[in-house]
Amino acid sequence: MSKKQFLKMVILGDSGVGKTTLLQQYVTQKATGNSKPTIGADFQKKEVMVDNQQVNLQIWDTAGQEKFQSLGYAFYRGADSCALVFDITNHKSFENLAMWKKGFIENASPGDVNTYPFVVIGNKLDKEVNRQVTSQEARQWCKDNGDIPYYETSALENISVDSAFLEMAKTALKRGTQNALFSLPESIGGAGGAIKLNNFEDRGGAGAKGGAGKKKKNGTCC
Amino acid sequence: MGAACTSVNCKSQKKHGAPGSAQVHPIIKQKPEEAPSQKTLQIGYYFQATELRFQDNDEGMKEKLDKWLYAVNYQTNKQKVQPSLENPESRDGQRLKEPVEINQGPPPIQGIPVKKSLFQIVRVKPDAKEWECEFILSKAHQENLRTFHQDHSSEFQTMIKDSSLPQFRWLSWKLLLNVDAKVIQHEPYEVWLELGETNKGMKKEIAKDIERTFSTHPFFSSQTNGTNGSKALHNVLMAYSAFNTKVGYCQGMNFVAGFILLMSGGNEEETFYFLVALLKTQDGPPIMDGLRGLYKNCFPLLHKYTSYFDEQFSTHLPRVSSKFNTLQIPTLLWLTKWIQTLFLYSFPFGVCIRLWDMLLSEGTQFVFAFILSLLEHLQEKFLHCEDLMQVNGIFKELEEKTFQNQISLKLEPLIQRGLYFMKTMQSFQVYKELNIQKNKVKEPRQSGVSAAITATHRDQ
C-alpha cells in the first residue's frame, strides 16, 4: 500500500477561537497570533506520514461568524474529518460546539455520524489564567457526544497542535476516505460557484423575507 | 425593531430640542464640528502619500495638479473673487515651512480663463516637488470643489479616474457619494452610536474583530496610537449596526470601515456617513448596487454577484472559465474575499486607494471589470494548472507578491484594461433585469417575489 492518500479536513468553531492560527502553526510551524478574520473560506495543504503512509492533507479553514455558516457548509461536503474548535477562555464558544456539530452533520453529509472522525480542540492554552472551560467539562461533552477525542492546544506556542491534526488524519484513514479531494459537490462545483438553488429568483427570494420557505433554524437560512 | 426606532426618534427629539446645549456623548472623542480639522486632513493625506509611494508615477503630475488647482479655485476663477486664506503658520505645524505662492498652469477646461491663483501650498521639505506639498484646504476651497463637482461632474470623475491627488481625495470621494446629503437625511451620528452601545451581543462580536483589523498599521496599533484607532473603528461599526439592523455587523465590514477611517484621517463621524453612503443603492452616476446586500444574512447580493460574474467570466475569458469549470474551482472561494472587502483583504492600501478611485467614480460595476482584467493578466498561469490547489496557489502568490511590492502587477494598465471590460461587458443592472424577466415568463406566479426582491434590493 504505497499509494498516496488524500484527506479533506475542515476546521469549525466560533469567530476568534484560533482556527486560522492553528492551521498556520500546523502547516508552516509558525504563528504570528495576529491573523485577520477569515472571510469566506480558505484552505492549506500539507504532506504528512501516517503509519508509514504518505498522506496529502487539504485542510479547510472557515469564517467563524455565525452569518457565514450557511456559506461555509458548501465547502465542507465530502470532508473526511472535522475539527470542532473552541477557546478555553470563552465559555460561549464551548457551548456553541453543539451547534457547529449539528450544522456540519446536517449539511456536509458525513455518512454514519457515530463513526465520523470528529476531534474537539480546546485552544489558547497559553491563556490558562483566563480559563473558563475546565478540561473535565470539555471531556464530558466529548464523551456524551460519542467519545470524540479531545485535545487542548496552544496554536500560538505550538502545544499539541501536531498531535490533534495527526489524530484527525489517523481516524479518518481508519474509517476510509470519501475520496473528496478534487470533487467538490455540485452545489458549488465549477466556475458556476454560486450555491445553486433553482434559479435567480429563489436566491433573491431567500434573502427577501417570505421568499423561499424557511427551513432549519441552524443558521442555514438559505 | 419597531421599538428601537421609536427610541431613536425619542432621543433625537430630545437632542434637537436643546440646540444650545450642544451635548456630546462622552464616548465620542471629538466634537463633530471640530472633527474635520486640518490635522485630520493631514493624517489622511500622509496615509495616502505613504501608501501610494511605491507607484511613483511622476509623469503628468504637474498637469494633474493644475487641473485640481483649477477645481479648488473654481468659484474664484468664475467670479474672480479670491478665497481668503488662513495663516498656515497658525495651524499645527512643525512641518509647515514658508508658504510658497505658485502660479497656476493653463486652464484644464476649455473656454474658461484662469487668472493667477493665490492658492497656497506649503512645502513639506525644501526640495519637495509640487505634489508632495501640503495643501491648505480652506473652507472656500472646499466649497469651490463642491461647486465644480456640481457644474462639471463628468470632468470631476475623469480627474479622479486619472488619479486623484491625496490632498483632494477624501473630499472628492465624499462628493462622489453625495455623503453630505446622508448627513442631513439621517439622525445624528451620536444617536446611532448611543443606540449601538446598548446592544451587548453586537459589541462582543465587533470587539473580536477590532484587534484583527489592519493591526500592524500605526493608526490601529495600540503601541503607537493607544486605543484611539481601535476605539474609533469600534464606534463606527457599532453605530452602523444600529443604523441598519438588517445588516448589523458582518465580517468584512471591519476592513471596509477601517480603510475609510484611515482615508478620512481618523474622523469617526465622517467615516460613519461615508459607510452609510457606500453601502446604499445609488442610481448614479456612479451606479452603486447597494453593497449592504453583501453583508445581510444569507448574503443576497453576494450570490447574485457570483452568478452574474460567472456569466461574464465565461463570455469574456472562455478559456480560463472552462479551465476553472474542469478543475471544479468554486468561484465563491476566491471571489468572496475580493468582493466582500472591496479588495482590502487581498491587496495593499496603495493598490486599494486607486481601485476605490475607480469604484467610486465608475460605480460598483468596476469591481467586476477589474477582476476580469486581473484574471486575464494571470490567464496563462491558470491554463497550466492541474488542480484546485495550484489555482489557489496562484491567487495567493498574486496577493503575497503585491504585498511585498514586487509588483509584477502593473496597476494602471490593468485598470485601463478594466475600463475596456466595463464598456464591453453586460452590466449587472441589465443582467438583473433580464433575469427577473426570464423568471417572470417562466413562472408568472412569482412576479410578486420579483417585486419583493427589487424592493428589498432598494430599501434602506
Side-chain angles (χ1 to χ4, degrees):
Chain A
M1 284 287 281
S2 61
K3 212 181 119 205
K4 259 194 192 176
Q5 285 277 1
F6 290 102
L7 287 177
K8 176 174 175 177
M9 322 208 294
V10 299
I11 312 176
L12 303 184
D14 276 11
S15 170
V17 297
K19 298 180 292 297
T20 305
T21 312
L22 273 167
L23 186 55
Q24 196 185 19
Q25 180 64 264
Y26 182 57
V27 174
T28 65
Q29 261 80 53
K30 53 186 175 226
T32 50
N34 57 5
S35 61
K36 314 184 262 192
T38 306
I39 305 289
D42 198 359
F43 69 84
Q44 304 257 14
K45 55 181 175 171
K46 186 174 169 95
E47 267 185 34
V48 286
M49 294 295 288
V50 183
D51 302 332
N52 293 323
Q53 192 178 12
Q54 196 178 12
V55 184
N56 277 359
L57 303 179
Q58 186 189 55
I59 313 173
W60 286 73
D61 181 21
T62 53
Q65 198 185 12
E66 215 172 315
K67 274 194 182 191
F68 281 91
Q69 273 187 52
S70 57
L71 213 56
Y73 290 129
F75 297 109
Y76 310 162
R77 242 158 276 174
D80 299 297
S81 176
C82 169
L84 302 166
V85 185
F86 71 94
D87 169 0
I88 61 163
T89 70
N90 176 350
H91 203 272
K92 185 82 185 18
S93 72
F94 171 68
E95 290 159 30
N96 281 345
L97 287 187
M99 172 193 79
W100 286 107
K101 184 170 174 242
K102 185 164 168 269
F104 180 80
I105 291 167
E106 281 173 3
N107 294 279
S109 4
D112 182 8
V113 178
N114 296 319
T115 61
Y116 191 82
F118 284 106
V119 165
V120 169
I121 297 177
N123 190 35
K124 303 201 185 174
L125 206 53
D126 46 289
K127 290 186 181 164
E128 178 74 50
V129 275
N130 301 322
R131 188 192 271 272
Q132 286 184 3
V133 184
T134 64
S135 302
Q136 200 188 0
E137 192 180 0
R139 284 211 163 79
Q140 188 60 45
W141 188 89
C142 290
K143 206 177 164 199
D144 297 344
N145 278 269
D147 275 326
I148 302 176
Y150 175 61
Y151 285 85
E152 289 197 344
T153 63
S154 163
L156 213 53
E157 293 174 5
N158 199 9
I159 302 170
S160 303
V161 176
D162 275 20
S163 28
F165 280 103
L166 203 59
E167 172 78 30
M168 285 173 79
K170 270 186 184 172
T171 45
L173 279 178
K174 229 178 268 172
R175 188 175 184 255
T177 78
Q178 306 199 0
N179 293 324
L181 182 70
F182 299 123
S183 58
L184 277 150
E186 249 178 54
S187 61
I188 56 161
I195 298 173
K196 280 180 186 147
L197 296 168
N198 294 338
N199 55 37
F200 187 86
E201 289 292 312
D202 277 0
R203 248 191 308 276
K209 264 180 197 159
K214 278 182 198 163
K215 43 173 192 179
K216 290 176 210 163
K217 254 189 168 178
N218 200 8
T220 53
C221 47
C222 298
Chain B
M1 229 174 285
C5 291
T6 326
S7 77
V8 171
N9 289 333
C10 190
K11 275 175 196 162
S12 69
Q13 273 159 15
K14 247 191 249 166
K15 274 196 192 296
H16 293 168
S21 62
Q23 267 191 340
V24 176
H25 195 274
I27 43 184
I28 301 179
K29 297 189 310 291
Q30 296 169 312
K31 283 185 192 172
E33 307 88 72
E34 290 172 2
S37 69
Q38 199 60 38
K39 193 166 181 188
T40 61
L41 280 177
Q42 279 170 10
I43 296 169
Y45 167 81
Y46 274 107
F47 161 67
Q48 294 172 55
T50 323
E51 297 302 335
L52 287 167
R53 196 169 36 197
F54 75 89
Q55 289 187 10
D56 244 351
N57 175 17
D58 291 359
E59 272 172 54
M61 257 319 170
K62 175 77 174 70
E63 198 186 323
K64 277 174 202 159
L65 184 70
D66 285 343
K67 285 187 183 177
W68 283 99
L69 283 172
Y70 180 85
V72 291
N73 287 296
Y74 180 61
Q75 204 65 26
T76 319
N77 294 327
K78 219 169 149 191
Q79 298 180 357
K80 304 184 179 177
V81 175
Q82 291 160 352
S84 65
L85 283 170
E86 298 159 49
N87 177 13
E89 299 284 340
S90 65
R91 268 186 307 261
D92 170 62
Q94 291 178 348
R95 282 191 305 266
L96 306 184
K97 299 273 166 56
E98 284 294 303
V100 180
E101 223 180 276
I102 61 156
N103 287 327
Q104 207 171 291
I109 292 165
Q110 288 182 347
I112 306 170
V114 185
K115 283 210 140 194
K116 186 189 169 198
S117 165
L118 275 184
F119 192 85
Q120 270 179 298
I121 60 171
V122 179
R123 293 185 192 274
V124 181
K125 47 187 188 233
D127 58 341
K129 292 171 191 148
E130 277 163 13
W131 54 90
E132 288 178 320
C133 297
E134 284 189 37
F135 257 74
I136 311 299
L137 213 55
S138 70
K139 277 240 160 61
H141 288 127
Q142 297 187 29
E143 277 312 311
N144 289 345
L145 198 57
R146 226 176 282 274
T147 318
F148 180 81
H149 169 240
Q150 276 167 11
D151 292 358
H152 303 278
S153 60
S154 67
E155 276 100 338
F156 185 76
Q157 282 177 33
T158 309
M159 278 156 64
I160 291 169
K161 267 187 281 185
D162 288 351
S163 178
S164 178
L165 296 176
Q167 300 92 318
F168 309 113
R169 194 174 258 113
W170 177 239
L171 184 60
S172 311
W173 283 12
K174 283 192 295 178
L175 289 173
L176 283 172
L177 286 185
N178 203 6
V179 172
D180 287 352
K182 270 78 183 179
V183 180
I184 301 162
Q185 280 164 16
H186 299 289
E187 302 286 347
Y189 170 63
E190 307 97 275
V191 174
W192 300 113
L193 186 52
E194 201 173 319
L195 190 65
E197 286 292 322
T198 58
N199 189 341
K200 297 286 175 246
M202 188 65 73
K203 210 176 160 135
K204 267 191 182 167
E205 208 164 328
I206 290 174
K208 272 184 197 171
D209 289 345
I210 296 297
E211 58 182 32
R212 300 194 288 167
T213 310
F214 306 133
S215 54
T216 50
H217 191 277
F219 182 79
F220 292 109
S221 156
S222 55
Q223 284 169 353
T224 44
N225 200 17
T227 57
N228 292 336
S230 52
K231 184 73 190 159
L233 179 59
H234 172 91
N235 286 351
V236 170
L237 290 171
M238 288 301 285
Y240 191 85
S241 74
F243 172 79
N244 191 333
T245 48
K246 273 191 208 155
V247 172
Y249 168 70
C250 177
Q251 289 181 328
M253 289 166 69
N254 54 326
F255 296 110
V256 172
F259 176 66
I260 301 172
L261 198 53
L262 289 169
M263 292 299 297
S264 75
N267 187 319
E268 262 179 65
E269 192 192 13
E270 289 195 5
T271 300
F272 169 75
Y273 285 113
F274 192 91
L275 187 65
V276 168
L278 178 73
L279 302 187
K280 259 190 185 212
T281 310
Q282 182 172 301
D283 291 334
I287 297 172
M288 302 295 288
D289 291 331
L291 294 177
R292 65 191 176 284
L294 293 173
Y295 306 113
K296 280 181 181 169
N297 286 341
C298 297
F299 314 105
L301 186 62
L302 182 64
H303 291 305
K304 280 180 206 169
Y305 268 173
T306 311
S307 328
Y308 163 70
F309 181 74
D310 278 332
E311 260 191 44
Q312 303 310 311
F313 192 17
S314 62
T315 309
H316 293 274
L317 299 171
R319 282 161 73 214
V320 190
S321 166
S322 78
K323 184 80 182 179
F324 276 29
N325 264 325
T326 315
L327 301 179
Q328 297 190 313
I329 314 296
T331 308
L332 268 178
L333 175 64
W334 55 271
L335 192 67
T336 308
K337 292 182 198 107
W338 285 358
I339 295 184
Q340 243 176 0
T341 64
L342 300 170
F343 302 113
L344 290 162
Y345 197 80
S346 308
F347 298 114
F349 288 132
V351 171
C352 293
I353 288 170
R354 278 298 288 140
L355 293 181
W356 278 50
D357 273 350
M358 302 307 293
L359 161 71
L360 296 173
S361 51
E362 289 286 331
T364 33
Q365 186 70 49
F366 180 78
V367 172
F368 299 97
F370 183 74
I371 291 175
L372 281 180
S373 165
L374 211 50
L375 293 178
E376 186 189 50
H377 172 73
L378 297 168
Q379 77 176 331
E380 288 310 316
K381 285 189 179 175
F382 284 133
L383 291 174
H384 286 101
C385 286
E386 281 164 10
D387 59 44
L388 171 66
M389 293 209 197
Q390 288 182 1
V391 171
N392 201 44
I394 290 174
F395 281 120
K396 281 196 176 159
E397 191 191 350
L398 168 78
E399 294 171 8
E400 277 163 22
K401 281 202 169 161
T402 316
F403 266 104
Q404 292 158 8
N405 284 357
Q406 309 171 355
I407 302 234
S408 55
L409 182 72
K410 292 248 185 297
L411 188 61
E412 295 303 328
L414 279 173
I415 287 177
Q416 289 309 315
R417 187 65 182 156
L419 286 172
Y420 163 80
F421 281 120
M422 271 296 277
K423 283 189 199 132
T424 50
M425 73 197 296
Q426 183 188 52
S427 77
F428 179 67
Q429 305 295 320
V430 171
Y431 169 85
K432 214 169 52 176
E433 281 304 313
L434 285 177
N435 270 284
I436 288 171
Q437 278 167 19
K438 230 190 271 171
N439 285 301
K440 258 186 200 165
V441 175
K442 226 175 11 186
E443 294 164 272
R445 276 189 186 182
Q446 281 206 349
S447 58
V449 179
S450 317
I453 292 161
T454 319
T456 318
H457 193 62
R458 299 191 50 83
D459 71 358
Q460 256 294 0

